[in-house]
């Protein structure tokens, strides 16, 4: 039986209540009591177990019989209330044949659900049903990947370590890549089998940099191969229309309501002319826009551009044509003043009442670090290809190695970035919602601190560290 002493060691203030909850769940004799060692909120986990006893007995059996999974469940469910609700609604999530449980290649299973020879008629009810089934499968596979990443993150001994933070964000970005590739496969099925569309999805922003958040928009652009010189105008128009239909379906598969909750908002507003511009463009169309209309911030955004799904040859050509525009941007009139003005606008956009809890915007925040690094890349990257890196930490390391940033300054920025990203991730995980500020509730803040193994130990110390970052 779980003793009062053990429960108090894990931060419980009402041992009797917690013990009663565990006993009512059938877990009073749980063998692997150390599975609670890193649980940030024992009470929240105990309440979940009491609910699961009635609503999802298979999860209780899992907790009783699988010590490794019990440990991972304890850290995730003791931190995030969202995941407790989700698992109770998906009792088969951890079954051996659950989506993603065996690390099955997502596209292989989608090909089983939607073989390429399936009748490609948009009005075909059977096809629509199959597409919906495939989309639900895709979303569940993604969440299996996501659960594993979260558990590994919360179990990490040193959550602030830059290498650990980089690993987590890379895994999140790869999971998004896999989801986009699967969504593109599903979205292409209603088109005629003989009408292959050479379309590539370009990841932008944090997704492109391989540094995605737990809860964030996924920024993309869509690029279509140029038409051949001999291609008929009507054929070119038809190809562009098909590509646009596919891109629209990709967004719906990832972001629209369905049997399974949406993955994230798929945001294509970084494309030329934003939401008013064409959703899909050819490479030639992008080049024409860059030559005549593009603003400096658009070239800065292209620093992160990365082909992530679809026709990678088209994506490679897109990057080849984009590179000269990116690395000559700093020579454009007013470049330095414009970048400084944008940075000041971001800093001034933070309301005073949330300034102490803001992690992304404002002086010393994540955006400040990213802007500084990108500015140095754009200025010096014209003549030094070694610093042309997509990720923030990768670019920082390259800038330091090439002498553009002092090693001591680079080390400080690296630690500050990892510290802020860790806090940002923990804040998002609490309820799986998009946020860049620390929670305001005392209990949530204390749960966040316990997940960081007591460093800092108190809410006051946490805010002191954040203030110190802004003063440097």
């Amino acid at each position: 039986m779980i003793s009062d002493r053990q429960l108090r060691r894990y931060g419980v203030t009402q041992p009797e209540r917690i013990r009663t909850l565990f006993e009512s769940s059938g877990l009073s004799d749980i063998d692997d009591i150390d599975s609670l060692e890193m649980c940030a909120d024992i009470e929240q986990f105990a309440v979940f177990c009491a609910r699961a006893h009635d609503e999802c007995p298979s999860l209780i059996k899992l907790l009783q019989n699988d010590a490794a999974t019990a440990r991972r469940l304890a850290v995730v469910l003791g931190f995030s209330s969202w995941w407790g609700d989700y698992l109770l609604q998906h009792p088969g999530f951890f079954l051996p044949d659950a989506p993603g449980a065996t690390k099955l290649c997502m596209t292989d299973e989608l090909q089983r659900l939607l073989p390429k020879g399936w009748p490609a008629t948009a009005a075909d009810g059977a096809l629509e049903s199959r597409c919906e089934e495939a989309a639900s499968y895709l979303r569940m596979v993604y969440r299996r990947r996501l659960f594993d990443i979260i558990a590994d993150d919360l179990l990490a001994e040193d959550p602030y370590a830059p290498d650990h933070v980089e690993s987590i964000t890379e895994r999140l970005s790869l999971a998004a890549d896999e989801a986009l590739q699967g969504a593109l496969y599903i979205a292409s099925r209603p088109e005629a089998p003989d009408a292959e569309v050479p379309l590539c999805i370009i990841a932008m922003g944090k997704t492109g940099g391989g540094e995605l958040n737990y809860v964030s928009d996924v920024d993309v652009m869509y690029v279509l191969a140029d038409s051949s010189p001999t291609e008929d105008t009507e054929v070119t128009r038809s190809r562009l229309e098909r590509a646009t239909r596919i891109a629209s379906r990709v967004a719906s598969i990832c972001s629209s309501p369905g049997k399974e909750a949406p993955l994230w908002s798929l945001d294509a507003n970084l494309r030329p002319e934003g939401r008013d511009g064409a959703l899909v463009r050819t490479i030639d169309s992008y080049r024409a826009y860059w030559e005549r209309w593009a603003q400096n911030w658009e070239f800065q955004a292209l620093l992160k551009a990365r082909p992530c799904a679809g026709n990678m040859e088209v994506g490679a050509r897109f990057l080849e044509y984009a590179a000269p525009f990116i690395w000559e941007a700093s020579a454009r009139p007013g470049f330095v003043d414009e970048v400084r003005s944008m940075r000041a606008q971001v800093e001034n956009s933070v309301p005073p009442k949330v300034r102490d809890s803001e992690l992304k915007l404002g002086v010393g925040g994540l955006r400040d670090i990213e802007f500084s690094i990108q500015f140095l890349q754009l200025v010096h990257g014209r003549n030094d290809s070694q610093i042309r890196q997509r990720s923030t930490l990768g670019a920082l390391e390259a800038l330091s190695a090439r002498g553009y940033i002092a090693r001591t300054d680079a080390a400080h920025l690296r630690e500050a970035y990892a510290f802020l990203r860790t806090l940002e991730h923990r804040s998002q995980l609490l309820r799986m919602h998009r946020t860049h500020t620390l929670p305001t509730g005392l209990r949530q803040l204390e749960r966040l601190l316990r997940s960081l193994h007591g460093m800092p130990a108190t809410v006051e110390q946490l805010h002191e560290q954040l203030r110190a970052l802004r003063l440097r």
Side-chain angles (χ1 to χ4, degrees):
M1 180 179 290
I2 301 173
S3 70
D4 288 2
R5 183 178 180 181
Q6 286 172 310
L7 288 173
R8 290 187 187 281
R9 183 156 54 94
Y10 299 138
V12 171
T13 58
Q14 295 179 296
E16 184 65 33
R17 178 173 184 269
I18 302 305
R19 187 163 57 249
T20 300
L21 285 169
F22 277 128
E23 289 173 354
S24 69
S25 307
L27 294 174
S28 57
D29 297 323
I30 188 170
D31 293 328
D32 188 20
I33 186 62
D34 285 341
S35 66
L36 300 179
E37 179 182 2
M38 300 179 74
C39 181
D41 192 331
I42 299 291
E43 180 178 358
Q44 178 168 284
F45 179 54
V47 169
F48 167 83
C49 292
R51 291 178 61 193
H53 180 266
D54 298 324
E55 300 177 35
C56 190
S58 61
L59 276 172
I60 298 298
K61 290 182 180 179
L62 195 64
L63 288 164
Q64 290 171 326
N65 301 321
D66 188 335
T69 302
R71 181 177 176 83
R72 297 171 75 78
L73 279 167
V75 295
V76 175
L77 301 179
F79 190 81
S80 174
S81 58
W82 185 93
W83 276 98
D85 293 335
Y86 181 82
L87 291 182
L88 290 176
Q89 295 166 9
H90 297 78
F93 192 76
F94 286 103
L95 295 178
D97 58 349
T102 58
K103 306 299 183 187
L104 180 70
C105 174
M106 185 187 296
T107 304
D108 288 347
E109 179 61 12
L110 292 178
Q111 288 175 349
R112 183 189 70 78
L113 293 170
L114 282 166
K116 290 188 175 182
W118 189 267
T121 305
D124 187 341
L127 175 62
E128 182 178 345
S129 176
R130 284 285 188 99
C131 286
E132 289 178 359
E133 180 184 358
S136 293
Y137 172 86
L138 180 150
R139 293 180 182 191
M140 284 198 70
V141 170
Y142 176 84
R143 290 204 165 89
R144 275 305 302 261
R145 305 285 195 270
L146 187 59
F147 182 91
D148 286 340
I149 296 170
I150 293 170
D152 289 344
D153 190 8
L154 292 173
L155 285 167
E157 294 182 2
D158 186 0
Y160 295 126
D163 288 347
H164 169 72
V165 173
E166 198 167 27
S167 171
I168 293 299
T169 58
E170 285 177 355
R171 289 173 66 185
L172 289 168
S173 302
L174 288 173
D177 287 359
E178 186 179 15
L180 288 170
Q181 184 64 54
L184 186 59
Y185 180 86
I186 299 170
S188 300
R189 295 284 64 77
E191 300 299 321
D194 60 347
E196 292 293 331
V197 180
L199 178 70
C200 184
I201 301 178
I202 305 295
M204 301 288 288
K206 289 188 180 298
T207 316
E211 47 197 9
L212 192 61
N213 290 332
Y214 279 115
V215 186
S216 176
D217 290 353
V218 170
D219 295 312
V220 298
M221 294 199 300
Y222 301 95
V223 58
L224 183 66
D226 291 326
S227 57
S228 67
T230 59
E231 186 173 84
D232 182 83
T233 303
E234 191 59 36
V235 173
T236 300
R237 183 183 297 110
S238 175
R239 197 159 54 92
L240 188 58
E241 289 173 351
R242 288 198 302 272
T244 302
R245 288 196 299 269
I246 291 171
S248 297
R249 291 190 200 110
V250 168
S252 179
I253 290 164
C254 294
S255 307
S256 293
K259 293 180 181 179
E260 275 291 312
L263 300 182
W264 9 253
S265 175
L266 195 62
D267 191 341
N269 288 336
L270 287 177
R271 68 187 186 269
E273 301 174 275
R275 65 177 67 250
D276 296 324
L279 183 60
V280 179
R281 288 176 180 260
T282 64
I283 297 174
D284 273 345
S285 178
Y286 277 104
R287 288 177 65 190
Y289 176 82
W290 293 333
E291 287 173 350
R292 297 187 61 187
W293 306 110
Q295 300 178 49
N296 289 331
W297 70 266
E298 294 178 90
F299 298 124
Q300 183 175 348
L302 284 168
L303 276 172
K304 302 285 188 183
R306 174 178 63 85
C308 68
N311 190 311
M312 292 299 170
E313 184 178 341
V314 172
R317 288 203 299 273
F318 172 87
L319 292 185
E320 180 184 350
Y321 287 117
F325 293 95
I326 298 170
W327 303 115
E328 292 299 323
S330 62
R332 289 162 60 103
F335 170 81
V336 173
D337 290 339
E338 187 173 324
V339 171
R340 287 175 175 168
S341 175
M342 288 179 59
R343 180 174 171 180
Q345 289 176 30
V346 170
E347 293 173 357
N348 294 332
S349 68
V350 182
K353 65 180 180 179
V354 299
R355 197 162 289 164
D356 288 344
S357 59
E358 174 65 47
L359 302 169
K360 180 178 180 180
L361 309 177
V363 177
L366 286 164
R367 183 61 60 82
D368 199 2
I369 295 172
E370 292 166 350
F371 257 54
S372 299
I373 290 171
Q374 290 170 19
F375 176 75
L376 290 174
Q377 282 184 280
L378 289 168
V379 170
H380 299 292
R382 295 179 64 196
N383 302 310
D384 191 343
S385 61
Q386 298 299 309
I387 62 172
R388 298 179 183 181
Q389 307 288 330
R390 292 190 184 95
S391 76
T392 299
L393 290 178
L396 179 59
E397 183 178 352
L399 286 165
S400 176
R402 302 292 289 178
Y404 301 111
I405 297 179
R407 291 190 179 276
T408 53
D409 291 337
H412 166 66
L413 287 172
R414 181 176 171 85
E415 292 173 4
Y417 181 82
F419 175 70
L420 291 169
R421 285 304 300 270
T422 302
L423 295 180
E424 180 186 49
H425 280 173
R426 293 294 198 269
S427 298
Q428 293 176 345
L429 283 178
L430 285 166
R431 292 188 290 111
M432 290 301 293
H433 78 296
R434 183 180 180 182
T435 182
H436 306 294
T437 60
L438 290 172
T440 55
L442 180 59
R443 182 172 176 180
Q444 288 188 326
L445 277 169
E446 290 177 340
R447 190 188 306 163
L448 186 151
L449 291 176
R450 282 196 293 272
S451 80
L452 300 171
H453 318 317
M455 295 182 66
T458 67
V459 174
E460 291 74 17
Q461 290 176 1
L462 174 60
H463 283 292
E464 286 176 8
Q465 283 187 243
L466 287 173
R467 282 193 292 269
L469 285 179
R470 296 185 179 100
L471 291 173
R472 291 189 179 185

